[in-house]
Amino acid sequence: MDEDQLIERTAAGDSDAFGSLVGPYLGLFFNGILRILGNRADAQDALQDALLAIFKDLPGFQRRSRFSSWAYKICVNAALMFRRSHARLREESIDAVTGLGDLDRDGHHLDTRESLRWSEEAMALAEAERRQLRECMLQALAGLPDTLRMVFVLKDLEDWSTEEIAARLDQTTPAVRQRLHRARLQVQDRLRAHIQGRPS
Amino acid sequence: MNLFASCREVRERLTEYQEGTLSRHDRVAVWLHLVICTACEAFYRGLRALPGVARLLLGPEEPPPAEAGQALEGALRRIGGHRH
């Protein structure tokens, strides 16, 4: 049975067809939710909510996009709703900005020879050490305060515009940019430490 | 921001610089600094590369994690429960 047939049968209320329809995308959906929530148990609960919403809304699916894209958006929304309704946000501390390296009293580098080209190393290492790097990235995301992680995930992983994020999270666009920057600095610092062999 | 800004000042503005939301004066100051400071230029390159690296590393797990299967089972139970 192809995907179109599974959609038809699910829309008619066939839960077995629904299982077959979403099965190939469960990893994608779970992963997207996990990135926002940073906790596997919460992600499981939010995915369950999302799957119910997908099942319920499928009769209204207009097929203007691929099923997986449409359903993925529902999963992202479910994660945001879950965060809003189930947990108090862990707010970031004002001085949480890291990743600036060693600077002198005037704010200039102490050692300009330091290798900061971690991103090229990450790309080069990605195949050989993908699992380790993936774990490091997940830890970096999980270690971010919720307010920073949501902005980072929506902007840098989900490709939302700054304005969309600001509207959705009820923040100003400068606040979104500031949080995005702080999140990037912290994530970059963690990855760079891992790649360069420093304890993170 | 001073036209000859410090590394710290520049790094705190790199996301705004990338998004094009700095004033013309600050944009020029950051640009000038990136031209002359190889460390900050490399740092900026790393920041710009971060989304791509993150997407590369955080692709879907294969096979789907056990939690995803359990979520589906839970959803199917709830769908069945609503029907009866």
Side-chain angles (χ1 to χ4, degrees):
Chain A
M1 200 180 299
D2 66 22
E3 190 167 276
D4 283 340
Q5 292 171 309
L6 288 172
I7 290 171
E8 294 290 339
R9 292 187 64 161
T10 300
D14 183 339
S15 56
D16 290 336
F18 179 60
S20 301
L21 176 65
V22 298
Y25 307 116
L26 283 180
L28 174 74
F29 297 163
F30 180 81
N31 204 54
I33 292 172
L34 176 61
R35 292 189 312 208
I36 292 173
L37 296 179
N39 174 292
R40 300 185 79 93
D42 287 350
Q44 182 178 329
D45 289 345
L47 175 57
Q48 192 176 129
D49 292 345
L51 290 170
L52 277 173
I54 292 167
F55 182 82
K56 181 168 155 286
D57 293 347
L58 197 63
F61 174 47
Q62 299 291 316
R63 304 190 191 215
R64 282 195 285 264
S65 58
R66 291 163 53 115
F67 166 74
S68 56
S69 304
W70 173 82
Y72 187 77
K73 283 180 188 163
I74 291 179
C75 291
V76 170
N77 278 329
L80 294 173
M81 291 294 292
F82 187 93
R83 172 58 63 212
R84 179 172 287 183
S85 60
H86 286 73
R88 286 179 52 196
L89 299 182
R90 283 184 290 146
E91 294 289 344
E92 69 272 27
S93 61
I94 297 300
D95 58 355
V97 176
T98 59
L100 294 176
D102 296 326
L103 305 176
D104 65 19
R105 196 178 298 173
D106 296 324
H108 292 289
H109 286 103
L110 287 171
D111 184 2
T112 56
R113 294 166 301 175
E114 178 192 8
S115 170
L116 291 167
R117 297 186 178 183
W118 65 271
S119 57
E120 285 107 344
E121 292 180 56
M123 287 296 194
L125 287 173
E127 288 306 316
E129 299 184 16
R130 184 184 167 96
R131 188 179 296 263
Q132 274 190 330
L133 278 172
R134 177 191 174 88
E135 190 57 34
C136 177
M137 176 63 87
L138 284 172
Q139 286 177 7
L141 279 185
L144 288 176
D146 292 334
T147 44
L148 299 193
R149 184 174 57 251
M150 284 193 288
V151 168
F152 178 82
V153 169
L154 293 177
K155 176 74 178 182
D156 283 353
L157 300 180
E158 304 296 345
D159 217 20
W160 287 29
S161 72
T162 302
E163 290 73 20
E164 283 176 304
I165 297 169
R168 183 58 198 258
L169 299 183
D170 200 19
Q171 298 173 8
T172 63
T173 51
V176 169
R177 281 190 201 100
Q178 187 189 41
R179 286 179 164 158
L180 174 65
H181 190 61
R182 288 154 77 178
R184 284 173 170 174
L185 291 181
Q186 289 189 42
V187 171
Q188 177 176 246
D189 195 46
R190 187 102 181 215
L191 283 182
R192 193 175 62 226
H194 177 85
I195 290 167
Q196 295 180 339
R198 291 194 282 116
S200 56
Chain B
M1 184 162 58
N2 190 301
L3 192 57
F4 296 98
S6 70
C7 298
R8 182 189 299 277
E9 289 173 308
V10 165
R11 287 187 181 199
E12 285 173 356
R13 288 168 171 79
L14 286 177
T15 293
E16 291 172 281
Y17 177 72
Q18 185 185 3
E19 290 218 337
T21 56
L22 288 176
S23 67
R24 178 179 292 195
H25 176 276
D26 285 0
R27 193 163 68 243
V28 170
V30 171
W31 175 82
L32 185 61
H33 186 92
L34 292 178
V35 167
I36 61 179
C37 178
T38 54
C40 281
E41 192 276 332
F43 188 88
Y44 180 49
R45 193 144 24 96
L47 269 190
R48 280 185 300 164
L50 186 57
V53 173
R55 286 175 190 160
L56 179 71
L57 294 177
L58 295 178
E61 291 182 62
E62 292 290 345
E67 293 96 328
Q70 288 161 8
L72 177 59
E73 287 172 18
L76 291 174
R77 272 198 303 274
R78 287 165 68 184
I79 289 168
H82 285 309
R83 284 224 195 93
H84 300 301

